[in-house]
C-alpha cells in the first residue's frame, strides 16, 4: 500500500471540478485517507515548491498557488503514485493523453488543475507538509 499527495489547484477549484477530479480517483479504486480545503500564503507555497526555487516560473507558480483555495488530499492505494500521475496527465496539458484531468481541464502549463507527488520520498514530505498523523485515516 502506498500514499501520495494530491492537490486540486486554485484553477480546478474555480472551475468547479473538485467532484469530477475526486470521482476519477474513486472510479480508479483510489482511497482518500485525508482531505481539506485551505488557502495557502505565499510563504507556505514557497515552502511546498522549494525544489523549484531556482526555476524561472517559481514566482509565478507560487502566486498562482495562492490565488484561491485549494483542496489537498492524501490518496492511498496500490501503486497510487503512478496511478495518480497517469490520471493527471503530462505537466503540459497540450502533451497530455486524451481523457486525463489536465487534458480535459487545464488552462496552460502552469494552471494545470492538479498536483501529484512524483516519488515515495516526495510523497512523504508533501503529505507531512499538510497533514499530521492524526489527520490520516488508518485502514
Ligand atoms: P508536475 O510534477 O507535473 O506538476 O510538474 P513540475 O514538478 O515540473 O512543475 C510543478 C508545477 O509548476 C507544474 O504543475 C506547473 O503548475 C508549473 N510549471 C511547470 N513548468 C512550467 C513552466 O514552464 N512555466 C510555468 N509558468 N509553470 C510551470
Amino acid at each position: 500500500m502506498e500514499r501520495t499527495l494530491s492537490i486540486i489547484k486554485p484553477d480546478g477549484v474555480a472551475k468547479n471540478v473538485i467532484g469530477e477530479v475526486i470521482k476519477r480517483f474513486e472510479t480508479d479504486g483510489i482511497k482518500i485517507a485525508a482531505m481539506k480545503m485551505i488557502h495557502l500564503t505565499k510563504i507556505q507555497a514557497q515552502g511546498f515548491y522549494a525544489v523549484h526555487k531556482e526555476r524561472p516560473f517559481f514566482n509565478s507558480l507560487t502566486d498562482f498557488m495562492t490565488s484561491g483555495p485549494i483542496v489537498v488530499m492524501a490518496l492511498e492505494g496500490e501503486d497510487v503514485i503512478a496511478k495518480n500521475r497517469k490520471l493527471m496527465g503530462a505537466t503540459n496539458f497540450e502533451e497530455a493523453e486524451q481523457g486525463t484531468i489536465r487534458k480535459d481541464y487545464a488552462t496552460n502549463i502552469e494552471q494545470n488543475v492538479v498536483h501529484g507527488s512524483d516519488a515515495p520520498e516526495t510523497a512523504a514530505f508533501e503529505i507531512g507538509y499538510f497533514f499530521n498523523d492524526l489527520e490520516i485515516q488508518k485502514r
Side-chain angles (χ1 to χ4, degrees):
M1 209 45 87
E2 193 174 68
R3 287 198 189 127
T4 192
L5 186 86
S6 168
I7 302 178
I8 304 175
K9 298 182 181 185
D11 60 324
V13 173
K15 283 182 179 176
N16 273 6
V17 296
I18 297 171
E20 178 61 35
V21 170
I22 292 175
K23 182 169 74 129
R24 292 182 187 208
F25 295 155
E26 293 191 316
T27 301
D28 208 29
I30 293 170
K31 298 284 184 197
I32 297 170
M35 175 161 67
K36 61 187 163 194
M37 180 180 262
I38 54 174
H39 193 146
L40 290 175
T41 64
K42 182 80 171 173
I43 300 279
Q44 290 166 340
Q46 288 168 334
F48 179 72
Y49 278 118
V51 290
H52 291 313
K53 64 177 185 295
E54 306 302 336
R55 308 282 278 279
F57 56 82
F58 182 66
N59 191 46
S60 172
L61 173 62
T62 51
D63 272 352
F64 161 56
M65 289 300 290
T66 59
S67 66
I70 60 173
V71 175
V72 287
M73 289 170 273
L75 304 180
E76 192 171 77
E78 202 175 313
D79 213 16
V80 73
I81 294 173
K83 259 190 179 173
N84 180 42
R85 298 286 305 188
K86 187 152 179 61
L87 290 173
M88 288 162 57
T91 309
N92 182 354
F93 77 107
E94 289 172 332
E95 293 163 11
E97 277 183 52
Q98 294 295 335
T100 59
I101 294 166
R102 285 168 165 173
K103 188 69 168 187
D104 290 345
Y105 300 112
T107 303
N108 54 44
I109 193 168
E110 182 174 276
Q111 298 185 26
N112 59 4
V113 194
V114 278
H115 167 86
S117 315
D118 61 3
E121 308 74 53
T122 42
F125 165 77
E126 292 178 356
I127 291 170
Y129 198 80
F130 290 109
F131 297 104
N132 68 46
D133 195 52
L134 291 174
E135 294 172 310
I136 302 170
Q137 302 309 309
K138 311 292 183 302
R139 284 168 222 279

